[in-house]
Amino acid sequence: MVEATDTTAVCAVCGGTGWLLEASEGRKLAHPCSCRGAAISRARLDAAGIPQRYRDCTLENFSDNTLSLTKARAAARDFVDAYPAVEAGLLLTGPAGRGKTHLACAILSELVATKGVTGLYVDFSDLLMKIQTSFRPDADISKESVLTPYSEAEVLVLDELGASKPHPWVLDVLYSLLNTRYNRKKITVATSNFEDEVDTSAGEREKLEDRIGYRLRSRLYEMCLMVPLRGGDFRKDVLGTRIRSRF
């Protein structure tokens, strides 16, 4: 049996303690090492719950091959640069494969890394499932314990808004969550494949309001600036080509 070895890098400056000691006038003074800030940033990023697939997404490696996508990336950059002096979050909309989740996760990652933000990512369908499970008679978790982390997060990324169509009582819970964030001036970045107008040429049949209800959509008007993403399907046109070229 081969014994596992610890490959974690140890800071050469502080020896992994996170502190630097120096003598001054007969006293020992401790100062935080630069690696301490990096460790805290990594911990915050891990706690944000960004899916592994999107951990390396940045604003710089976002593919903006159309004017609309270029404008979307510029809006994301302006938002990150201005934070926390922003009045509203962002609602990134457009068909599947345009890079909405990439942009949302890149925004959250950069805010955590450069501005010390504590944030959370959650997939809309996963959140619905957690809420519904909390109401079961045999549930070992309460509705409050499910919602509290998302209502208190400094920045919340709510991905794939409207992907699942909730029951009316679940919509009431979601409205309460977003309304709480609104009243506390918490910033929300959301993504959705659904928009305010139906594009029948693209095979769409429902608006965002049809998926999440009038009250929730109305609240989002006050909470988020809409940023449309238009262009080709990146998954099909680029990633699919890369996969096919391997065979």
Side-chain angles (χ1 to χ4, degrees), residues 150-176:
Y150 304 115
S151 63
E152 293 184 350
E154 184 179 350
V155 173
L156 175 67
V157 168
L158 184 56
D159 196 21
E160 297 284 3
L161 187 62
S164 299
K165 202 166 185 178
H167 294 290
W169 61 269
V170 178
L171 281 177
D172 289 340
V173 176
L174 286 170
Y175 178 82
S176 177

Side-chain angles (χ1 to χ4, degrees), residues 173-243:
V173 176
L174 286 170
Y175 178 82
S176 177
L177 167 62
L178 289 183
N179 194 55
T180 296
R181 293 189 58 79
Y182 172 76
N183 289 331
R184 294 179 180 176
K185 294 186 175 182
K186 302 283 190 179
I187 293 298
T188 302
V189 175
T191 77
S192 181
N193 291 345
F194 298 90
E195 303 186 57
D196 291 329
E197 300 296 333
V198 175
D199 183 0
T200 55
S201 65
E204 297 174 2
R205 297 181 179 178
E206 290 183 293
K207 299 182 295 185
L208 180 57
E209 182 181 318
D210 298 328
R211 302 293 295 183
I212 64 174
Y214 170 78
R215 283 205 310 161
L216 204 54
R217 179 64 191 102
S218 179
R219 176 57 75 211
L220 284 171
Y221 278 121
E222 298 179 88
M223 296 180 67
C224 299
L225 171 69
M226 180 178 282
V227 180
L229 281 76
R230 301 284 184 269
D233 187 334
F234 182 79
R235 297 169 189 160
K236 176 183 176 182
D237 299 339
V238 179
L239 298 182
T241 301
R242 289 177 185 171
I243 293 173

Side-chain angles (χ1 to χ4, degrees), residues 7-245:
T7 58
T8 303
V10 176
C11 177
V13 179
C14 68
T17 65
W19 297 94
L20 299 176
L21 298 177
E22 67 175 72
S24 176
E25 298 180 355
R27 296 183 304 161
K28 286 186 177 181
L29 302 178
H31 302 283
C33 181
S34 59
C35 73
R36 188 176 180 85
I40 293 173
S41 180
R42 284 195 301 272
R44 284 178 176 159
L45 196 56
D46 289 341
I50 297 172
Q52 192 66 38
R53 182 174 294 278
Y54 297 99
R55 286 285 184 94
D56 296 326
C57 289
T58 67
L59 298 182
E60 285 67 34
N61 63 21
F62 177 73
S63 179
D64 57 348
N65 52 12
T66 69
L67 179 60
S68 172
L69 297 181
T70 299
K71 289 181 176 179
R73 180 165 72 166
R77 167 52 62 203
D78 290 345
F79 176 83
V80 170
D81 290 345
Y83 190 89
V86 294
E87 295 296 325
L90 301 175
L91 173 56
L92 310 174
T93 64
R98 270 58 179 183
K100 300 181 298 294
T101 300
H102 179 128
L103 269 189
C105 289
I107 288 169
L108 181 56
S109 293
E110 187 161 337
L111 288 177
V112 170
T114 65
K115 300 201 173 182
V117 165
T118 54
L120 277 177
Y121 166 99
V122 66
D123 177 86
F124 182 72
S125 297
D126 289 345
L127 179 58
L128 293 188
M129 186 177 299
K130 290 177 182 179
I131 293 173
Q132 291 170 336
T133 300
S134 71
F135 279 88
R136 290 172 46 181
D138 60 344
D140 57 1
I141 187 170
S142 68
K143 177 190 72 174
E144 289 72 22
S145 60
V146 169
L147 296 178
T148 295
Y150 304 115
S151 63
E152 293 184 350
E154 184 179 350
V155 173
L156 175 67
V157 168
L158 184 56
D159 196 21
E160 297 284 3
L161 187 62
S164 299
K165 202 166 185 178
H167 294 290
W169 61 269
V170 178
L171 281 177
D172 289 340
V173 176
L174 286 170
Y175 178 82
S176 177
L177 167 62
L178 289 183
N179 194 55
T180 296
R181 293 189 58 79
Y182 172 76
N183 289 331
R184 294 179 180 176
K185 294 186 175 182
K186 302 283 190 179
I187 293 298
T188 302
V189 175
T191 77
S192 181
N193 291 345
F194 298 90
E195 303 186 57
D196 291 329
E197 300 296 333
V198 175
D199 183 0
T200 55
S201 65
E204 297 174 2
R205 297 181 179 178
E206 290 183 293
K207 299 182 295 185
L208 180 57
E209 182 181 318
D210 298 328
R211 302 293 295 183
I212 64 174
Y214 170 78
R215 283 205 310 161
L216 204 54
R217 179 64 191 102
S218 179
R219 176 57 75 211
L220 284 171
Y221 278 121
E222 298 179 88
M223 296 180 67
C224 299
L225 171 69
M226 180 178 282
V227 180
L229 281 76
R230 301 284 184 269
D233 187 334
F234 182 79
R235 297 169 189 160
K236 176 183 176 182
D237 299 339
V238 179
L239 298 182
T241 301
R242 289 177 185 171
I243 293 173
R244 289 191 296 271
S245 68

